[in-house]
Amino acid sequence: RPSLREKVCAVQGSEQQRDPGDQKSVKIGNQNGKQFNRMEPVRVLITGAAGQIGYALAPMVARGLMLGPNQPVILHLLEIPPAATALEGVAMELTDAAFPLLRGVVATTDPEVACKDVDIACMLGGFPRKAGMERKDVMSKNVAIYKAIATSLEAHAKASVKCVVVANPANTNAYILKKYAPKMSIKS
C-alpha cells in the first residue's frame, strides 16, 4: 500500500506531466464577442479594496476563484485617500502571499490610474450608511464617488469592461455609473 508521501509525489508528478500547451487553447468569458485568452492576465478593478469585503475578495480573485484556476490576473485596487495606508497593507499582503496567478498589483487612490485598461470592475466601495442617516444622505455621498469612478472607467478602461456594483444602494449606484459612463454597454 503506498504511503501518503508516495501519493503526493505521484500527484505532483502527474501535474508536471500535463502539456502546458493545453491551456493556450482554452478560452473563458465573452467580452462582446471576444473571449479572454487564459494566458493573458485579466485586469480586475476592486474599489473599496481596503474595506472588509474588498480585503476578503482580493485574495479570492488572486487565487483563481473568480476567473478560474488558470487565469492570470492583475489587480487594480482603489481606495479613498484616508485609507491609503490600509491599501498599502492589502497590496503587500497580496504580494507576500505569492499567488501563482497574480501578475501584478496596482494600489492607488487615483481613479484614473485604477481604471487604466481594466477588463472587470467590482464596485464595492461606497459611503457606508451610519446610524441616523437616511437613504438620501447616503445617495448624495455616493453620487460623487460613483461619478468620479464612472468618468474614469469611461475614459481609461477597456471598451468591453464588465462591471458589478455591490455597494448599497446598488441600484442607484449602478444608475449613476451608467449615467456618467454612457459608452459602457448596459449589459456590462
Side-chain angles (χ1 to χ4, degrees), residues 144-161:
I145 295 168
Y146 273 76
K147 181 179 177 182
I149 295 170
T151 305
S152 296
L153 280 171
E154 179 83 1
H156 303 288
K158 291 184 179 174
S160 56
V161 66

Side-chain angles (χ1 to χ4, degrees), residues 123-162:
M123 315 298 280
L124 308 179
F127 192 83
R129 189 171 182 175
K130 296 181 180 177
M133 287 183 78
E134 293 186 25
R135 184 178 165 98
K136 66 179 181 174
D137 300 327
V138 175
M139 287 177 20
S140 66
K141 299 264 187 191
N142 282 329
V143 168
I145 295 168
Y146 273 76
K147 181 179 177 182
I149 295 170
T151 305
S152 296
L153 280 171
E154 179 83 1
H156 303 288
K158 291 184 179 174
S160 56
V161 66
K162 302 289 183 198

Side-chain angles (χ1 to χ4, degrees), residues 52-67:
Q52 292 176 348
I53 298 171
Y55 180 75
L57 180 64
M60 291 181 187
V61 175
R63 279 197 336 242
L65 296 178
M66 180 177 172
L67 298 172

Side-chain angles (χ1 to χ4, degrees), residues 2-113:
S3 69
L4 179 60
R5 181 183 170 116
E6 291 169 330
K7 289 179 184 177
V8 170
C9 290
V11 170
Q12 288 175 342
S14 66
E15 287 176 359
Q16 291 172 353
Q17 292 173 2
R18 289 183 193 160
D19 181 9
D22 291 345
Q23 293 179 1
K24 291 181 183 175
S25 63
V26 179
K27 306 282 184 178
I28 65 161
N30 187 337
Q31 276 197 329
N32 300 331
K34 177 190 168 222
Q35 292 182 324
F36 291 120
N37 184 327
R38 283 195 179 256
M39 300 310 284
E40 296 174 19
V42 174
R43 293 179 176 269
V44 179
L45 168 66
I46 300 174
T47 68
Q52 292 176 348
I53 298 171
Y55 180 75
L57 180 64
M60 291 181 187
V61 175
R63 279 197 336 242
L65 296 178
M66 180 177 172
L67 298 172
N70 298 316
Q71 178 60 60
V73 294
I74 298 172
L75 290 177
H76 289 237
L77 308 176
L78 178 65
E79 194 50 87
I80 57 174
T85 304
L87 181 63
E88 288 176 26
V90 173
M92 283 191 277
E93 284 186 27
L94 289 167
T95 304
D96 288 347
F99 293 106
L101 297 174
L102 187 61
R103 298 293 186 264
V105 176
V106 178
T108 184
T109 58
D110 182 354
E112 291 183 5
V113 173

